[in-house]
Amino acid sequence: MKSVNATFQLAEERYASLGVNVRTALEQLAVLPISLHCWQGDDVGGFEHSGSELGGGLAVTGNYPGKARTPAELRADLDKALSLIPGRHRVNLHACYAETDGQKVDRDALEPAHFEQWIAWAQEHQLGLDFNPTYFAHPKAADGFTLAHRDAGIRKFWIEHGLRCRKIGAAMGKATGSPCVTNFWIPDGWKDTPADRSTPRELLTDSLDAIFKPTLPAKYHLDAVEPKLFGIGSESYVVGSHEFYLGYAITRQTLLCLDSGHYHPTESIADKISSVLQFLPEILLHVSRGVRWDSDHVVTGNDDLHAIAREVVANGYAERVHLGLDYFDASINRIAAWTIGTRNFQRALLTALLEPPVIRLAEAAGDTTSRLAFQEETRTLPLGAVWDQYCAENDVPVRESWLAEVKRHEREVLAKRATA
Ligand code: RNT
Ligand code: ZN
């Protein structure tokens, strides 16, 4: 597209006038993979068809037609989304997306073989894989407790699930040649004020220690733990709170997963990144968007997102921060949901990569007037022209033209999926 290129050249000059090399920024963006969460494609359904409710405080609202019903459909939908997103990325799977060939395989019996087709698909498309044990949508999680359950038998079941998921993650990392981050999130908590806040946390510590006991090679596999402030049905107490997992991750040197929908509405994870990275080698981000009670709206290009991306880039943390998305919206086209959120995150990263050095220099010189002036003036720099050029060079639809492709695909493919 000629107009894209002409506008890009003008933008390049404008950035250069502020000491920013646009080409360098684009090269850096190209090596920032984002882990696309498979569960946006089927409303966190998975393929066990066990009849268990989602539970765990996870709620997906909406009934937009055309959701993926099979692993093949989910992979095809991910292929579609990835074809609309520039760059090479990763896919984040959950244990409940196992393919068991019609056999009932419980969570404590899962093996790498049940993810063979996902792995083959990832290899074929040169995608990295990340993984999550599934501690919800299961009869043994129905009362809201798993690894912190008072019943030793239930804990044992879920410990075995965790052990197996780490092995599966390591197999994914080995096969794809890129370390798989296996992220542990559990729903355990109370709706009402607990009488004992400590026992469940002691139990959780022991369960996690049993799960993380076997060492796995870091070149294939990394462990992460994900805190949460509250959930639906666990409003008064969450066993795996922020402080719990911060302490756990630091003492056990696992990754900490910061989910941007898991804190107080005005509390941003952006400010936590440089704090926790003083004490942890690496972290994982679940970039999401909280709205009132829900923590999982499609990521939009808001200030919070920009602040998160900026912290990663401005501090030179790209190597230490694993970038992932986590939201689920069943009220709009699900492929569009992936595309919108991922493209937004990339644009926020690009904005950060294109930040003029004068802002930091002003601060270092004690000139806070200039810092604020440049922070505000640079908001209207021609980011769009650079982004359009990046899309064009990566052979993905430029500007809003991806939407027409999603609509065409919806008519030709999604509309033909019978609604279950
Ligand atoms: C839940 C956590 C968790 C889940 C996914 C499905 O509050 O954010 O990451 O969203 O594992
Ligand atoms: Zn999350």
Side-chain angles (χ1 to χ4, degrees), residues 86-361:
R88 214 178 273 299
H89 298 285
R90 308 176 62 83
V91 168
N92 195 5
L93 294 170
H94 239 283
C96 60
Y97 291 79
E99 290 173 78
T100 59
D101 215 3
Q103 308 290 98
K104 162 107 184 108
V105 178
D106 211 346
R107 304 254 177 99
D108 63 344
L110 287 170
E111 290 182 16
H114 301 123
F115 293 87
E116 238 166 33
Q117 296 182 68
W118 282 109
I119 292 171
W121 170 77
Q123 285 172 321
E124 191 189 322
H125 292 72
Q126 288 176 276
L127 294 163
L129 288 176
D130 295 303
F131 197 50
N132 304 259
T134 309
Y135 287 103
F136 49 81
H138 190 280
K140 287 197 166 69
D143 65 2
F145 278 82
T146 61
L147 290 176
H149 207 288
R150 293 234 175 202
D151 179 322
I154 295 198
R155 288 202 305 282
K156 187 165 175 277
F157 174 86
W158 288 119
I159 289 169
E160 185 60 31
H161 178 57
L163 284 162
R164 283 173 180 262
C165 283
R166 292 180 70 232
K167 275 196 191 151
I168 294 166
M172 289 176 171
K174 191 171 182 185
T176 56
S178 160
C180 168
V181 181
T182 298
N183 175 54
F184 282 74
W185 174 76
I186 61 163
D188 303 32
W190 291 115
K191 180 185 177 79
D192 261 323
T193 316
D196 179 356
R197 292 177 182 266
S198 144
T199 301
R201 290 186 171 135
E202 284 160 16
L203 295 172
L204 179 55
T205 305
D206 289 349
S207 295
L208 291 170
D209 282 348
I211 291 171
F212 295 134
K213 196 158 182 224
T215 12
L216 294 168
K219 67 175 177 173
Y220 302 140
H221 187 264
L222 299 166
D223 296 301
V225 289
E226 181 179 6
K228 191 170 182 172
L229 175 68
F230 81 92
I232 304 164
S234 59
E235 289 85 354
S236 301
Y237 170 75
V238 168
V239 184
S241 63
H242 182 67
E243 291 71 15
F244 175 89
Y245 279 127
L246 179 61
Y248 192 86
I250 291 172
T251 52
R252 274 63 169 179
Q253 289 292 293
T254 67
L255 276 69
L256 183 72
C257 171
L258 296 173
D259 184 312
S260 50
H262 283 194
Y263 295 88
H264 285 285
T266 58
E267 185 181 355
S268 169
I269 63 161
D271 187 50
K272 301 183 191 299
I273 296 170
S274 62
S275 297
V276 302
L277 283 177
Q278 302 304 315
F279 309 104
L280 290 170
E282 295 176 38
I283 58 169
L284 167 67
L285 298 185
H286 269 189
V287 176
S288 188
R289 177 168 55 106
V291 177
R292 303 193 188 280
W293 60 270
D294 179 65
S295 61
D296 297 289
H297 277 53
V298 178
V299 166
T300 54
N302 59 18
D303 283 352
D304 193 35
L305 178 70
H306 279 84
I308 293 166
R310 189 187 173 276
E311 283 305 306
V312 176
V313 168
N315 295 308
Y317 288 149
E319 298 276 304
R320 297 170 63 193
V321 181
H322 301 257
L323 309 172
L325 295 164
D326 182 13
Y327 52 78
F328 19 97
D329 189 340
S331 75
I332 60 173
N333 180 300
R334 294 167 184 82
I335 295 169
W338 269 319
T339 310
I340 292 166
T342 314
R343 286 175 65 119
N344 276 335
F345 193 14
Q346 289 184 289
R347 273 192 293 259
L349 291 163
L350 181 58
T351 307
L353 289 163
L354 291 169
E355 179 179 296
V358 67
I359 299 173
R360 276 177 91 108
L361 291 173

